[in-house]
């Protein structure tokens, strides 16, 4: 694409004293409190967001995922303004000690703050090769969704605000207590409590933006006992068929009851 569109409520204004066509990006007010760092989110008006990524052999799947994530406004603002630097987790067992987050931030600078037509993403490619070599085995094309899932998870681990995670604990007594709480305070209270427990281990800007919660209910066809779980999710694998015309149809089918 040769055009870059701004999110609703966003705008670009000329930065005082700036050179060339570098302008200050004014993000949507929804993101300002959580995403803004100490630097201005400046972009090159003529080519910001329209910089292509060079193919490194068979890296089209990587480039597609990187471009998609880089064109989500709060993500772009979060990294360009340096907010990520304040939140890098260097002690997490699954963290790259900030190497992936830093490489992704450098990529944002090249995509939004230069007037190049294309950029060689070798630095972030090399970072992935160190921490996830399976993504580039035999230099073959891989699944873009799998790559994007690893990218989001890797960035989350690098930016997880929880430095020391509590040990997970689940017992039969917990299930009984959950059922009692739902009866007394309702399903929404139990769902909120489960989400709070999730945030005790996983709290990052990536969680704020991309994760949700899915309630599953399993009903015994003989005795009628209902067991419910409230699980966080990053993405949904939706069923698709030739007769579908809208995303809502796939969602309805995903959420439909089924007999096990």
């Amino acid at each position: 694409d040769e055009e870059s569109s701004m999110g609703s409520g966003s705008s670009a204004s000329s930065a005082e004293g700036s050179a060339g066509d570098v302008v200050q990006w004014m993000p949507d007010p929804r993101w300002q409190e959580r995403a803004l760092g100490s630097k201005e989110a400046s972009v090159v008006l003529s080519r910001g967001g329209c910089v292509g990524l060079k193919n490194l052999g068979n890296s089209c799947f990587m480039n597609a995922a990187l471009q998609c994530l880089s064109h989500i406004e709060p993500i772009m603002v979060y990294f360009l303004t340096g907010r990520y630097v304040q939140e890098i987790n260097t002690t997490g067992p699954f963290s790259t000690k900030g190497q992936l987050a830093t490489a992704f931030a450098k990529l944002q600078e090249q995509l939004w703050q230069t007037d190049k037509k294309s950029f060689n993403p070798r630095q972030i490619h090399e970072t992935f090769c160190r921490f996830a070599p399976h993504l580039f085995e035999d230099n073959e094309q891989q699944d873009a969704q799998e790559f994007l899932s690893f990218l989001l998870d890797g960035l989350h681990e690098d930016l997880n605000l929880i430095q020391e995670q509590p040990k997970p604990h689940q017992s039969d007594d917990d299930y009984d207590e959950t059922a009692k709480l739902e009866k007394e305070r309702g399903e929404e209270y139990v769902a909120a409590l489960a989400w709070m427990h999730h945030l005790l281990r996983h709290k990052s800007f990536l969680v704020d933006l991309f994760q949700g919660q899915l309630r599953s209910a399993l009903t015994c066809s003989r005795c009628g006992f209902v067991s419910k779980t409230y699980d966080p999710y990053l993405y949904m694998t939706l069923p698709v068929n030739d007769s579908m015309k809208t995303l809502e149809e796939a969602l309805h089918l995903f959420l439909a009851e089924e007999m096990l």
Side-chain angles (χ1 to χ4, degrees), residues 128-167:
F128 276 112
C129 287
R130 286 197 302 274
F131 294 103
H134 66 280
L135 293 173
F136 301 95
E137 286 182 352
D138 302 322
N139 199 32
E140 296 179 352
Q141 285 289 350
Q142 303 294 336
D143 185 72
Q145 190 273 335
E146 179 185 354
F147 177 87
L148 182 58
S149 176
F150 184 89
L151 172 59
L152 290 172
D153 189 58
L155 289 174
H156 158 66
E157 294 293 348
D158 265 9
L159 301 165
N160 192 357
L161 297 175
I162 307 301
Q163 299 290 329
E164 296 184 12
Q165 298 184 1
K167 294 182 179 180

Side-chain angles (χ1 to χ4, degrees), residues 160-232:
N160 192 357
L161 297 175
I162 307 301
Q163 299 290 329
E164 296 184 12
Q165 298 184 1
K167 294 182 179 180
H169 174 72
Q170 188 75 42
S171 66
D172 293 338
D173 292 339
D174 293 328
Y175 288 113
D176 294 338
E177 182 66 22
T178 298
K180 180 181 178 182
L181 282 173
E182 181 177 336
K183 186 176 181 180
E184 294 176 350
R185 303 201 179 188
E187 190 176 77
E188 288 191 7
Y189 177 86
V190 175
L193 187 62
W195 185 251
M196 183 192 72
H197 288 159
H198 175 61
L199 295 182
L200 291 176
R201 300 174 57 83
H202 302 282
K203 177 61 179 168
S204 71
F205 190 51
L206 281 299
V207 170
D208 295 344
L209 284 179
F210 298 120
Q211 289 194 6
Q213 186 186 66
L214 184 66
R215 189 217 69 176
S216 299
L218 182 64
T219 304
C220 179
S221 58
R222 291 186 177 181
C223 68
F225 176 77
V226 179
S227 174
K228 295 181 181 179
T229 59
Y230 302 85
D231 299 312

Side-chain angles (χ1 to χ4, degrees), residues 68-128:
C68 286
L69 190 59
S70 299
H71 283 74
I72 297 175
E73 184 190 27
I75 289 291
M76 177 266 281
V77 171
Y78 177 82
F79 282 94
L80 284 185
T81 62
R83 180 62 177 266
Y84 79 97
V85 176
Q86 307 169 29
E87 302 180 352
I88 288 179
N89 186 329
T90 60
T91 61
F94 304 108
S95 167
T96 69
K97 317 307 178 189
Q99 293 183 57
L100 179 58
T102 301
F104 187 77
K106 296 297 183 183
L107 177 67
Q108 300 311 296
E109 295 175 2
Q110 295 297 325
L111 292 178
W112 292 96
Q113 297 180 332
T114 69
D115 58 0
K116 301 175 182 177
K117 290 185 178 181
S118 63
F119 171 69
N120 187 331
R122 184 167 301 280
Q123 180 184 4
I124 196 167
H125 178 266
E126 291 176 349
T127 302
F128 276 112

